[in-house]
Amino acid sequence: MLGSGDSSFKMPVLGRGQDRLVTFFAAIAIVTVLYLGRDVFVPIAVAILLAFVLAPVIMVLRRIRIPRPAAVVAVVLVTFLGLMALGGMIALQVTDLVAELPQYRMNMRDKIKSLKDAAGGSGTFERTMDLVQDLSREIDAPQAGQGLAAGAADGRPVLVEVHQPPPGTLGTLSAVVAPLLHPLATFGIVFIFVLFILLQREDLRNRFVRLAGAHDLQRTTAALDDAGSRLSRFFLAQVALNASFGAVIGLGLWVIGVPSPFLWGLAAAVLRFVPYIGAAIAAALPIGLALAVDPGWSMVLSTAALFLVVEPVVGHVIEPLLYGRSTGLSPVAVIAAATFWTWLWGPIGLLLSTPLTLCLVVLGRHVESLEFLDVALGDQPPLSASELLYQRLLAGDPLEAAAAAEEHLKQNSFGDYADSVALPALRLAQRDAARGVLDEARQARLKETLAELLDYLPDPDDLVGPPAEGTPHVLVLSARSALDEAAALLFAHRLRQSGLRCETRSRGGLGRPVGEEVNLLVLSYLSPATPAHRRYTIRRLKRDAPGRRVIVADWGIEEGQTERLEGEDAVVTSIAAAVEAVEAPFAPTAASLPAAVPAPLRAGAA
């Protein structure tokens, strides 16, 4: 309180819920600003993406000793003059196409007649068309009394037309120039922004570094440089690929004989930036024109075949070779981004949706405060393999866990799966148990689910055959908790794959006598293995099973962080190290191995 003698003022600390609420309202504010200021932000976004595309070209010019200002001005001027020339050619193509369309009216009538015949003569098709025409006349019919001329002698409605006076020279000029003002202004803004972004590239990067992570300049700078180079290469490759696609389509349409092939090739190159549906729209336009131009069907079929051949080759063969099999975005993110940016900025937003979203994902991968963007939009798995397994074990779903394990086992051994996936998942469970958020009942359920998962995997006896006579017998004892039992089950499954006889006992089995057939004991700890508990348990096992080796498996810690106590023959922390410690005493030289020794031990000795 003020006046209490403490003159310092402390800012209140926001809780996690309040922090998320602030983030939510901040996101709403950003989206609102982007929507209201779209006339400004759209040119800036286009300029940034163009800067990514042109940056590699400028770097090439810099390597041949051309100064940055000259290189930037030359590249930007050539680019924008080329775009203006391209726009002029498009206008000429559109004008020629519009002028030629009336010539194809008869072809369209013949096509409609053939469709009517294919639909069953004049019956169904004509009745449908008559219904549509009747509805159209009913909608367009004037209301009662509308258009009546006062004093008309015959009482019939008289058509009244209102004509505007012909516009003067200034009005005609205004009508022509007004629709062009906004595109020309946007074009000019993009030109200026691209020029200054490329001229001040390093300065803008440094300012962003200051905003994003000035506390770790080395890491942030390296991340941004890597992100910038990756985005530049990707966008340049995408522009080159789509331009090549448009060129092939335009050339193919020219060979087929479709009018204005240059226009449709350019449309195909531009529309291919639209995810999923862009190529389909690009194909529909020339196919529709071919339908009107050709009296027959050969041009239509050839045009459709051109797109059906070129698009799969580009999309499924050339694209993966050029810049990988994925854009780095999840399929759902691509659709959601297209919907969002189209709603926000209209058609230009649809064209920019994938590049803009990819920029956000790359930033999320390199800037810690924006990591949520990579998680929400990226194509990387949101959970690691061990986290996914732990989540499935918690949910009591061994089927999905077994399916994921089988995918892993196609490329790796079970021992690798146990050490890199299953054991880390059990460590996550032990961490939650230590925090008090995983009670004993859920631990027991998790252990049972893991046992079901192991049952769904290939049986070790099917892989190496049943244990041979005289094979060493290993007893794996769970120290305390159900999680210790789960780790024991995992380790026992791995031992059986080595051809060993293996038996597991729960935490209540420490007091039972050890059979004479047991050659070695393994004490499984996932819960904290305190020295006192280990010392007492080892003393008891040595008394009940004299002469038997005892290995302590402390699964919950990293390698080298535990010491061997008195009475312990070995201490291990991984499945691989435990298997090696178990097999070592029973692996003599290959020459002295009897036939009954399992093949894995024989191979290991060799």
Side-chain angles (χ1 to χ4, degrees):
M1 296 178 60
L2 296 176
S4 62
D6 185 4
S7 59
S8 62
F9 175 74
K10 296 182 179 179
M11 293 293 294
V13 178
L14 295 177
R16 179 173 298 180
Q18 292 174 312
D19 186 53
R20 289 178 178 175
L21 191 62
V22 170
T23 303
F24 174 74
F25 282 112
I28 292 179
I30 291 173
V31 172
T32 303
V33 171
L34 290 175
Y35 180 78
L36 297 178
R38 56 188 177 275
D39 291 339
V40 175
F41 290 113
V42 168
I44 294 177
V46 174
I48 292 174
L49 295 179
L50 273 177
F52 275 119
V53 173
L54 299 179
V57 182
I58 294 174
M59 293 299 295
V60 172
L61 296 179
R62 291 291 308 279
R63 291 193 185 99
I64 59 176
R65 306 290 182 172
I66 296 179
R68 172 178 287 276
V72 169
V73 172
V75 170
V76 173
L77 280 177
V78 169
T79 301
F80 278 84
L81 288 176
L83 291 176
M84 291 177 65
L86 207 58
M89 295 177 68
I90 292 174
L92 292 176
Q93 291 280 320
V94 171
T95 303
D96 294 341
L97 181 62
V98 171
E100 294 175 359
L101 283 179
Q103 302 176 14
Y104 311 129
R105 185 177 303 171
M106 185 59 66
N107 292 336
M108 290 300 299
R109 289 178 178 174
D110 293 340
K111 289 290 194 316
I112 293 175
K113 184 176 182 302
S114 64
L115 290 175
K116 288 169 59 178
D117 295 338
S122 60
T124 305
F125 190 85
E126 287 189 354
R127 282 197 298 270
T128 304
M129 295 303 297
D130 291 341
L131 176 61
V132 173
Q133 292 176 1
D134 290 341
L135 292 174
S136 177
R137 284 194 296 267
E138 186 67 26
I139 293 173
D140 296 336
Q143 296 180 0
Q146 182 179 358
L148 290 177
D154 54 3
R156 290 183 301 172
V158 177
L159 180 63
V160 178
E161 296 183 359
V162 179
H163 294 275
Q164 294 289 341
T169 304
L170 187 61
T172 303
L173 184 62
S174 175
V176 173
V177 174
L180 300 177
L181 287 179
H182 188 270
L184 289 176
T186 302
F187 192 82
I189 293 173
V190 171
F191 175 81
I192 293 172
F193 269 109
V194 169
L195 192 64
F196 279 94
I197 288 173
L198 292 174
L199 285 173
Q200 302 293 324
R201 185 167 176 263
E202 284 75 14
D203 180 68
L204 292 174
R205 179 202 61 196
N206 295 339
R207 293 179 185 276
F208 189 83
V209 167
R210 174 68 179 175
L211 292 174
H215 61 282
D216 191 352
L217 291 177
Q218 184 275 334
R219 178 182 178 185
T220 308
T221 302
L224 288 180
D225 286 343
D226 177 62
S229 63
R230 287 176 182 272
L231 287 172
S232 295
R233 289 196 301 267
F234 172 78
F235 291 148
L236 189 61
Q238 192 177 38
V239 169
L241 182 63
N242 290 350
S244 302
F245 174 79
V248 172
I249 292 296
L251 181 62
L253 294 177
W254 176 74
V255 173
I256 293 171
V258 178
S260 303
F262 172 81
L263 176 63
W264 305 123
L266 182 63
V270 173
L271 288 172
R272 203 173 181 280
F273 284 97
V274 179
Y276 297 119
I277 62 173
I281 298 174
L285 297 174
I287 288 175
L289 181 61
L291 192 67
V293 171
D294 188 17
W297 295 93
S298 61
M299 184 180 291
V300 177
L301 296 177
S302 300
T303 303
L306 175 66
F307 280 91
L308 289 175
V309 171
V310 175
E311 169 57 27
V313 170
V314 172
H316 300 288
V317 177
I318 300 178
E319 265 187 357
L321 295 176
L322 192 61
Y323 48 77
R325 296 190 173 274
S326 173
T327 60
L329 303 176
S330 68
V332 175
V334 172
I335 298 297
T339 304
F340 172 78
W341 290 108
T342 303
W343 165 77
L344 196 66
W345 287 348
I348 191 66
L350 179 61
L351 290 175
L352 300 179
S353 61
T354 299
L356 287 174
T357 309
L358 182 59
C359 289
L360 295 178
V361 169
V362 171
L363 287 177
R365 289 180 181 175
H366 291 283
V367 180
E368 185 176 355
S369 58
L370 300 178
E371 185 182 2
F372 69 94
L373 293 173
D374 182 30
V375 175
L377 304 174
D379 61 350
Q380 299 297 323
L383 297 176
S384 66
S386 57
E387 291 171 336
L388 181 60
L389 174 59
Y390 178 41
Q391 195 270 337
R392 290 295 85 198
L393 294 178
L394 286 175
D397 184 3
L399 292 177
E400 185 175 341
E406 289 178 352
E407 286 296 321
H408 189 280
L409 293 176
K410 290 179 180 179
Q411 304 293 332
N412 304 279
S413 65
F414 180 80
D416 176 80
Y417 173 78
D419 269 328
S420 63
V421 179
L423 202 54
L426 294 178
R427 288 176 182 143
L428 292 175
Q430 178 56 41
R431 187 184 308 167
D432 285 347
R435 294 192 299 118
V437 296
L438 191 67
D439 57 26
E440 292 187 2
R442 297 182 69 189
Q443 292 178 42
R445 181 185 177 188
L446 187 146
K447 185 259 297 184
E448 294 169 0
T449 306
L450 179 65
E452 292 183 51
L453 162 64
L454 296 176
D455 287 340
Y456 285 127
L457 297 181
D459 193 338
D461 290 345
D462 297 334
L463 298 176
V464 299
E469 189 68 27
T471 301
H473 192 113
V474 181
L475 177 61
V476 184
L477 298 162
S478 304
R480 286 183 291 191
S481 68
L483 296 180
D484 296 342
E485 296 180 36
L489 292 174
L490 184 68
F491 177 55
H493 191 88
R494 172 64 184 88
L495 286 180
R496 293 190 187 100
Q497 287 193 336
S498 292
L500 299 175
R501 298 179 182 272
C502 189
E503 175 189 352
T504 60
R505 286 189 187 177
S506 64
R507 47 188 166 164
L510 288 175
R512 291 160 48 191
V514 177
E516 293 295 332
E517 73 280 2
V518 174
N519 306 103
L520 186 144
L521 295 94
V522 178
L523 188 58
S524 173
Y525 279 100
L526 194 67
S527 55
T530 61
H533 189 278
R534 284 168 55 183
R535 190 179 296 110
Y536 168 77
T537 307
I538 293 298
R539 186 182 300 126
R540 185 174 181 179
L541 291 176
K542 289 289 186 179
R543 183 180 65 245
D544 295 341
R548 256 64 68 87
R549 297 179 70 245
V550 178
I551 297 174
V552 173
D554 195 353
W555 312 115
I557 63 173
E558 299 293 334
E559 189 73 31
Q561 294 184 358
T562 185
E563 296 181 359
R564 185 158 59 95
L565 302 180
E566 182 181 357
E568 299 174 348
D569 294 283
V571 178
V572 294
T573 58
S574 66
I575 299 290
V579 172
E580 183 178 354
V582 168
E583 291 181 344
F586 308 112
T589 60
S592 62
L593 284 175
V597 174
L601 293 183
R602 180 181 298 275

